[in-house]
Amino acid sequence: MEEGEYESVLCVKPEVHVYRIPPRATNRGYRAAEWQLDQPSWSGRLRITAKGQVAYIKLEDRTSGELFAQAPVDQFPGTAVESVMDSSRYFVIRIEDGNGRRAFIGIGFGDRGDAFDFNVALQDHFKWVKQQCEFAKQAENPDQGPKLDLSFKEGQTIKLNIANMKKKEGAAGTPRARPASTGGLSLLPPPPGGKTSTLIPPPGEQLSVGASIVQPAVAPSSGRPPARLSQAQAGSSSDLSATLFPHTTSGKELPRLGGRKEDEALPGQPLFGA
């Protein structure tokens, strides 16, 4: 054991009983029914520690922590720890006093779960020890380890479906086309069912430039001539005409291009009646 190794705790159980066991006369296993289970020789706390590859089963006082007995375990399962034949809660361990003297004693747990934890703690430790030994052997002889062969065997082929890959790439990488904006502003379409505004002229007028033509409703003929427009209606009609035809002067006729008046004579010819 190296001096630089640290001690780790694997398992702690607050209650364990110790029994004196009779010597084994034959090679058959131990039986807990022969131990006088109602009269344990000692009771206290059990602690399993590990230092390097060796595990230690320590029986300590429940209050002061004073060491009662210790059993070093260098192999499990082995002669240092054995299970009994008639129960899963009792074991036989080999204790040592440090001077070379050894003895076998029986230990038992009141709870079956504590006995299971005791067994699993030892199994996990020596499983770790086995892995460390295998890693050390591989580090010493790296060429002897199994090699991973990823090459194609003779006649082995591989198939790639490129069509589906292109289709997926095209569907994922093609951006959606956006409508071109005019002057940096996006024009939204009119809402569905929207109605365009219609300019309704006053009665007796018709609108024919850039607007919908709406004719006023005509009352059924009763033999009377239509009434004249009032002064207010006539004024609104002239204002609307001036708005729609700005080049038309109120009360004047537009001059005709290239024409002449009837009374205007050509140059060099006398007027009629002169």
Side-chain angles (χ1 to χ4, degrees), residues 104-247:
F104 290 92
I105 61 174
I107 61 172
F109 301 92
D111 188 4
R112 206 173 293 273
D114 293 341
F116 176 80
D117 295 341
F118 170 81
N119 201 9
V120 170
L122 292 174
Q123 289 179 356
D124 290 346
H125 171 71
F126 285 100
K127 186 183 296 183
W128 173 81
V129 171
K130 183 178 180 181
Q131 290 178 352
Q132 294 299 317
C133 294
E134 292 178 355
F135 292 156
K137 291 180 181 179
Q138 292 180 3
E140 294 177 357
N141 301 316
D143 297 336
Q144 294 182 1
K147 296 182 179 180
L148 184 61
D149 186 11
L150 299 178
S151 61
F152 285 99
K153 304 299 185 293
E154 184 178 357
Q156 187 177 4
T157 59
I158 186 171
K159 182 180 179 181
L160 298 177
N161 195 348
I162 302 179
N164 291 340
M165 293 174 61
K166 289 183 177 180
K167 191 177 298 182
K168 290 180 180 179
E169 290 178 358
T174 304
R176 293 182 60 184
R178 296 183 178 179
S181 59
T182 305
L185 299 176
S186 299
L187 301 179
L188 298 177
K195 297 182 180 179
T196 58
S197 60
T198 304
L199 183 60
I200 303 177
E205 297 290 337
Q206 293 185 356
L207 182 63
S208 60
V209 179
S212 301
I213 300 176
V214 178
Q215 295 183 0
V218 180
S221 178
S222 60
R224 296 181 181 179
R228 293 185 178 181
L229 296 176
S230 64
Q231 186 177 0
Q233 292 177 343
S236 61
S237 175
S238 61
D239 294 341
L240 180 61
S241 301
T243 303
L244 297 177
F245 305 96
H247 299 291

Side-chain angles (χ1 to χ4, degrees), residues 33-53:
E34 302 172 354
W35 294 357
Q36 298 180 357
L37 299 179
D38 55 342
Q39 298 177 1
S41 300
W42 181 87
S43 296
R45 180 180 66 186
L46 180 141
R47 194 159 61 97
I48 302 177
T49 62
K51 200 169 185 179
Q53 297 183 359

